[in-house]
Amino acid sequence: MIYWLLMVSQAFAEDHGAAHAAAGHEAGGIPWSSIFVQTFNISFLLIILFVIMRKTVKAHFEHRARDYQQLVSRAETARLEAEKNKSAVKERLVKLESTAGQVEQQARSEAQELRGRMLAEGKTLSARMQQEAERTVKVEVEKAKAQMRKELLENAIADARENLKKNLSSSEQQKLQREFAEKIQVVGG
């Protein structure tokens, strides 16, 4: 239907425009027929837009009004909640201020008690660490002594071999090596 109305309007405008072109422009006159056609077309367009868009625009503004009302109610709820929280905080603050002296004294006594415990634990830990350090030192000294003995023994053996090689004959060297191997087996076994 809307399409049909638009076609009729266009046909009317074209028909009127052709008649106006055929008659020629009147010199100095107001083209009332053109103004009427344009006014009719704009009015017709506005009426059609109003009919088509009326429900959509109405729904849009109703939706915006509903959203606005929801936002207002949320803001009011938040304001009431904030006021309630503010009064609760004020009450707690007054209560804390009234008990501040007691809490301070209690905190000081707990701090003194904690300090004493920490000092005792520190002394115990220090004594344990000192004992561990002494044990570690003893173990390391024993390891160093054993290492030095081993190195001295190896050096002495190497020097003895060198001296024996230089000063002894091959038969005497073999005899000494056998005796040495036997003694090492006796000591090691």
Side-chain angles (χ1 to χ4, degrees):
M1 169 143 177
I2 294 172
Y3 179 72
W4 181 77
L5 289 173
L6 288 174
M7 293 302 290
V8 168
S9 172
Q10 183 180 2
F12 181 69
E14 287 175 0
D15 206 22
H16 185 277
H20 186 16
H25 289 289
E26 298 172 11
I30 298 176
W32 288 106
S33 61
S34 289
I35 292 173
F36 173 73
V37 169
Q38 290 175 358
T39 305
F40 174 77
N41 284 338
I42 288 176
S43 300
F44 184 70
L45 177 66
L46 292 175
I47 290 170
I48 289 175
L49 284 175
F50 175 76
V51 169
I52 292 173
M53 300 294 286
R54 176 179 42 149
K55 292 180 182 176
T56 306
V57 170
K58 184 178 178 182
H60 172 72
F61 283 109
E62 286 175 353
H63 180 70
R64 286 194 65 186
R66 202 172 335 121
D67 288 347
Y68 176 75
Q69 289 298 326
Q70 287 176 351
L71 290 173
V72 168
S73 67
R74 281 190 214 155
E76 184 64 24
T77 304
R79 185 186 63 80
L80 292 174
E81 184 69 28
E83 287 178 2
K84 190 187 315 179
N85 287 341
K86 180 182 175 185
S87 64
V89 167
K90 278 185 179 181
E91 289 174 12
R92 287 178 57 200
L93 184 59
V94 168
K95 186 177 179 181
L96 286 174
E97 286 176 354
S98 66
T99 61
Q102 294 172 350
V103 171
E104 182 181 352
Q105 185 62 30
Q106 183 180 358
R108 287 178 192 249
S109 65
E110 287 177 0
Q112 287 292 344
E113 183 181 318
L114 181 62
R115 181 175 178 246
R117 275 189 281 157
M118 288 176 65
L119 284 173
E121 288 176 5
K123 287 178 182 177
T124 304
L125 183 61
S126 175
R128 254 191 263 144
M129 288 175 65
Q130 186 174 359
Q131 289 173 354
E132 288 288 327
E134 288 172 1
R135 274 190 239 135
T136 303
V137 167
K138 286 179 184 177
V139 169
E140 291 299 321
V141 166
E142 290 300 320
K143 282 183 184 178
K145 285 180 182 178
Q147 181 68 27
M148 288 176 67
R149 285 184 195 131
K150 182 179 176 184
E151 287 176 8
L152 286 174
L153 183 60
E154 288 174 358
N155 287 340
I157 291 171
D159 287 343
R161 281 190 185 147
E162 288 293 320
N163 287 336
L164 288 175
K165 284 182 184 179
K166 290 179 186 176
N167 299 331
L168 295 177
S169 66
S170 66
S171 62
E172 289 177 342
Q173 282 181 358
Q174 289 176 355
K175 179 182 170 190
L176 287 173
Q177 284 178 354
R178 270 185 261 127
E179 289 176 6
F180 179 73
E182 290 172 3
K183 287 181 182 179
I184 287 180
Q185 287 178 353
V186 169
V187 172

Coordinates of all heavy atoms in Angstrom, one line a residue, residues 69-114:
Q69 N 14.5 4.8 34.7 CA 13.9 4.5 36.0 C 14.7 3.5 36.8 O 14.8 3.6 38.0 CB 12.4 4.0 35.8 CG 11.5 5.1 35.4 CD 11.4 6.3 36.4 OE1 11.5 6.0 37.6 NE2 11.2 7.5 35.9
Q70 N 15.2 2.5 36.0 CA 16.0 1.4 36.7 C 17.3 2.0 37.2 O 17.7 1.7 38.3 CB 16.3 0.3 35.7 CG 15.1 -0.6 35.4 CD 15.5 -1.7 34.4 OE1 16.5 -1.6 33.7 NE2 14.6 -2.6 34.1
L71 N 17.9 2.9 36.5 CA 19.1 3.5 36.9 C 18.9 4.4 38.1 O 19.7 4.4 39.1 CB 19.7 4.4 35.8 CG 20.4 3.6 34.6 CD1 20.8 4.5 33.5 CD2 21.5 2.8 35.1
V72 N 17.7 5.1 38.1 CA 17.4 6.0 39.3 C 17.2 5.1 40.5 O 17.6 5.4 41.6 CB 16.1 6.8 38.9 CG1 15.6 7.5 40.2 CG2 16.5 7.9 37.9
S73 N 16.5 4.0 40.3 CA 16.2 3.1 41.5 C 17.5 2.5 42.0 O 17.7 2.4 43.2 CB 15.2 2.0 41.1 OG 15.7 1.1 40.2
R74 N 18.4 2.1 41.1 CA 19.7 1.5 41.5 C 20.5 2.6 42.3 O 21.1 2.3 43.3 CB 20.5 1.1 40.3 CG 20.1 -0.3 39.8 CD 21.1 -0.8 38.8 NE 20.4 -1.5 37.7 CZ 20.9 -1.7 36.5 NH1 22.0 -1.1 36.1 NH2 20.2 -2.4 35.7
A75 N 20.5 3.8 41.7 CA 21.2 4.9 42.4 C 20.7 5.2 43.8 O 21.4 5.4 44.8 CB 21.2 6.1 41.6
E76 N 19.3 5.1 43.9 CA 18.7 5.3 45.2 C 19.1 4.2 46.2 O 19.4 4.5 47.3 CB 17.2 5.4 45.0 CG 16.5 5.7 46.3 CD 16.8 7.1 46.9 OE1 17.2 8.0 46.1 OE2 16.6 7.3 48.1
T77 N 19.1 3.0 45.7 CA 19.4 1.8 46.5 C 20.9 2.0 47.0 O 21.2 1.7 48.1 CB 19.2 0.5 45.7 OG1 17.9 0.5 45.3 CG2 19.6 -0.7 46.6
A78 N 21.7 2.3 46.0 CA 23.2 2.5 46.4 C 23.4 3.6 47.4 O 24.2 3.5 48.3 CB 24.0 2.8 45.1
R79 N 22.6 4.7 47.2 CA 22.7 5.8 48.2 C 22.3 5.4 49.6 O 22.9 5.7 50.6 CB 21.8 7.0 47.7 CG 22.0 8.3 48.6 CD 21.0 9.3 48.2 NE 19.6 9.0 48.3 CZ 19.0 9.0 49.5 NH1 19.6 9.4 50.6 NH2 17.7 8.7 49.5
L80 N 21.2 4.6 49.6 CA 20.7 4.1 50.9 C 21.7 3.2 51.6 O 22.0 3.3 52.8 CB 19.3 3.5 50.8 CG 18.2 4.4 50.4 CD1 16.9 3.6 50.2 CD2 17.9 5.4 51.5
E81 N 22.3 2.3 50.7 CA 23.3 1.4 51.2 C 24.5 2.1 51.7 O 25.1 1.8 52.8 CB 23.7 0.4 50.1 CG 24.6 -0.7 50.5 CD 24.0 -1.7 51.5 OE1 22.8 -1.9 51.4 OE2 24.8 -2.3 52.2
A82 N 24.9 3.2 51.0 CA 26.1 3.9 51.4 C 25.8 4.7 52.7 O 26.7 4.7 53.6 CB 26.4 5.0 50.3
E83 N 24.6 5.2 52.9 CA 24.3 5.9 54.1 C 24.3 4.9 55.3 O 24.8 5.2 56.4 CB 22.9 6.5 54.0 CG 22.9 7.8 53.2 CD 21.5 8.4 53.1 OE1 20.6 7.9 53.7 OE2 21.4 9.4 52.4
K84 N 23.8 3.7 55.0 CA 23.7 2.6 56.1 C 25.2 2.2 56.4 O 25.5 2.1 57.6 CB 23.0 1.4 55.6 CG 22.7 0.4 56.7 CD 22.1 -0.9 56.1 CE 21.0 -0.8 55.2 NZ 20.5 -2.1 54.7
N85 N 26.0 2.0 55.4 CA 27.4 1.7 55.7 C 28.2 2.8 56.4 O 29.0 2.6 57.3 CB 28.2 1.4 54.4 CG 27.7 0.1 53.8 OD1 27.2 -0.8 54.5 ND2 28.0 -0.1 52.5
K86 N 27.8 4.1 56.0 CA 28.4 5.2 56.7 C 28.1 5.2 58.2 O 29.0 5.4 59.0 CB 28.0 6.5 56.0 CG 28.6 7.8 56.6 CD 28.0 9.0 56.0 CE 28.5 10.3 56.6 NZ 27.9 11.4 56.1
S87 N 26.8 5.0 58.5 CA 26.5 5.0 59.9 C 27.1 3.8 60.7 O 27.6 3.9 61.8 CB 24.9 4.9 60.1 OG 24.4 3.7 59.5
A88 N 27.2 2.6 60.0 CA 27.9 1.5 60.6 C 29.4 1.8 60.9 O 29.9 1.5 61.9 CB 27.8 0.2 59.7
V89 N 30.0 2.4 59.9 CA 31.4 2.8 60.1 C 31.6 3.8 61.2 O 32.5 3.7 62.0 CB 32.0 3.3 58.7 CG1 33.3 4.0 58.9 CG2 32.1 2.2 57.7
K90 N 30.7 4.8 61.3 CA 30.7 5.8 62.4 C 30.6 5.1 63.7 O 31.4 5.4 64.7 CB 29.6 6.8 62.2 CG 30.0 7.9 61.3 CD 28.9 9.0 61.3 CE 29.2 10.1 60.3 NZ 28.1 11.1 60.3
E91 N 29.7 4.1 63.8 CA 29.5 3.4 65.1 C 30.8 2.6 65.4 O 31.3 2.6 66.6 CB 28.3 2.4 65.0 CG 27.0 3.1 65.0 CD 25.9 2.1 64.7 OE1 26.1 0.9 64.8 OE2 24.7 2.6 64.5
R92 N 31.4 1.9 64.5 CA 32.6 1.2 64.7 C 33.7 2.1 65.1 O 34.5 1.8 66.0 CB 33.0 0.4 63.5 CG 32.1 -0.8 63.3 CD 32.4 -1.6 62.0 NE 33.8 -2.1 62.0 CZ 34.5 -2.4 61.0 NH1 33.9 -2.4 59.8 NH2 35.7 -2.8 61.1
L93 N 33.8 3.3 64.5 CA 34.9 4.2 64.8 C 34.7 4.8 66.2 O 35.7 4.8 66.9 CB 34.8 5.4 63.8 CG 35.9 6.5 63.9 CD1 37.3 5.8 63.7 CD2 35.7 7.6 62.9
V94 N 33.5 5.1 66.6 CA 33.3 5.5 68.0 C 33.7 4.4 69.0 O 34.3 4.7 70.0 CB 31.8 6.0 68.2 CG1 31.4 6.1 69.6 CG2 31.5 7.2 67.4
K95 N 33.3 3.2 68.7 CA 33.6 2.1 69.5 C 35.1 1.9 69.6 O 35.7 1.6 70.7 CB 32.9 0.8 69.0 CG 33.1 -0.4 69.9 CD 32.3 -1.6 69.3 CE 32.4 -2.8 70.2 NZ 31.7 -3.9 69.6
L96 N 35.8 2.0 68.5 CA 37.2 1.8 68.4 C 37.9 2.9 69.2 O 38.9 2.7 69.9 CB 37.8 1.8 67.0 CG 37.5 0.5 66.2 CD1 37.9 0.7 64.8 CD2 38.2 -0.7 66.8
E97 N 37.4 4.1 69.1 CA 38.0 5.2 69.8 C 37.9 5.0 71.3 O 38.8 5.4 72.1 CB 37.4 6.6 69.4 CG 37.9 7.0 68.0 CD 37.2 8.3 67.5 OE1 36.3 8.7 68.2 OE2 37.6 8.8 66.5
S98 N 36.7 4.5 71.7 CA 36.5 4.3 73.2 C 37.4 3.2 73.7 O 37.8 3.2 74.9 CB 35.0 4.0 73.4 OG 34.7 2.8 72.9
T99 N 37.7 2.2 72.9 CA 38.5 1.1 73.4 C 40.0 1.2 72.9 O 40.7 0.2 73.1 CB 37.9 -0.3 72.9 OG1 37.9 -0.2 71.5 CG2 36.5 -0.5 73.4
A100 N 40.4 2.3 72.4 CA 41.7 2.5 71.9 C 42.8 2.3 73.0 O 43.8 1.7 72.7 CB 41.9 3.9 71.2
G101 N 42.5 2.9 74.1 CA 43.5 2.7 75.2 C 43.7 1.3 75.6 O 44.8 0.8 75.8
Q102 N 42.6 0.5 75.7 CA 42.7 -0.9 76.1 C 43.4 -1.7 75.0 O 44.3 -2.5 75.4 CB 41.3 -1.4 76.3 CG 40.6 -0.8 77.5 CD 39.1 -1.3 77.5 OE1 38.6 -1.9 76.6 NE2 38.4 -1.0 78.6
V103 N 43.1 -1.4 73.8 CA 43.7 -2.1 72.7 C 45.2 -1.8 72.7 O 46.1 -2.7 72.4 CB 43.0 -1.8 71.4 CG1 43.8 -2.3 70.2 CG2 41.6 -2.3 71.4
E104 N 45.6 -0.6 72.9 CA 47.0 -0.2 72.9 C 47.8 -0.9 74.0 O 48.9 -1.4 73.7 CB 47.1 1.3 73.0 CG 48.5 1.8 73.0 CD 48.6 3.3 73.2 OE1 47.6 4.0 73.2 OE2 49.8 3.8 73.3
Q105 N 47.2 -0.9 75.2 CA 47.9 -1.6 76.3 C 48.0 -3.1 76.0 O 49.1 -3.7 76.2 CB 47.1 -1.4 77.6 CG 47.7 -2.0 78.8 CD 49.1 -1.3 79.1 OE1 49.3 -0.2 78.8 NE2 50.0 -2.1 79.6
Q106 N 47.0 -3.7 75.5 CA 47.0 -5.1 75.1 C 48.1 -5.4 74.1 O 48.8 -6.4 74.1 CB 45.6 -5.6 74.6 CG 45.6 -7.1 74.3 CD 44.2 -7.5 73.8 OE1 43.3 -6.7 73.7 NE2 44.1 -8.8 73.5
A107 N 48.1 -4.5 73.1 CA 49.1 -4.7 72.0 C 50.6 -4.6 72.6 O 51.5 -5.3 72.2 CB 48.9 -3.6 70.9
R108 N 50.8 -3.6 73.5 CA 52.1 -3.5 74.1 C 52.5 -4.7 74.9 O 53.6 -5.2 74.8 CB 52.1 -2.3 75.0 CG 52.2 -1.0 74.3 CD 52.1 0.2 75.2 NE 51.9 1.4 74.5 CZ 52.8 2.4 74.4 NH1 54.0 2.3 74.9 NH2 52.4 3.5 73.7
S109 N 51.5 -5.3 75.6 CA 51.9 -6.5 76.4 C 52.2 -7.7 75.5 O 53.1 -8.4 75.7 CB 50.8 -6.8 77.4 OG 49.6 -7.2 76.7
E110 N 51.4 -7.8 74.4 CA 51.6 -8.9 73.5 C 53.0 -8.7 72.8 O 53.7 -9.7 72.5 CB 50.5 -8.9 72.4 CG 49.2 -9.5 73.0 CD 48.0 -9.4 72.0 OE1 48.3 -9.0 70.8 OE2 46.9 -9.8 72.3
A111 N 53.3 -7.4 72.5 CA 54.6 -7.2 71.8 C 55.7 -7.5 72.8 O 56.8 -8.1 72.3 CB 54.7 -5.7 71.4
Q112 N 55.6 -7.2 74.0 CA 56.7 -7.6 75.0 C 56.8 -9.1 75.1 O 57.9 -9.6 75.1 CB 56.4 -7.0 76.4 CG 56.5 -5.5 76.5 CD 58.0 -5.1 76.4 OE1 58.9 -5.9 76.5 NE2 58.2 -3.8 76.1
E113 N 55.7 -9.8 75.2 CA 55.7 -11.2 75.3 C 56.3 -11.8 74.0 O 57.2 -12.7 74.1 CB 54.3 -11.7 75.4 CG 54.2 -13.2 75.6 CD 52.7 -13.7 75.7 OE1 51.9 -13.0 76.4 OE2 52.4 -14.7 75.1
L114 N 56.0 -11.3 72.9 CA 56.5 -11.8 71.6 C 58.0 -11.5 71.5 O 58.8 -12.4 71.1 CB 55.8 -11.1 70.4 CG 56.3 -11.5 69.0 CD1 56.0 -13.0 68.8 CD2 55.6 -10.7 68.0

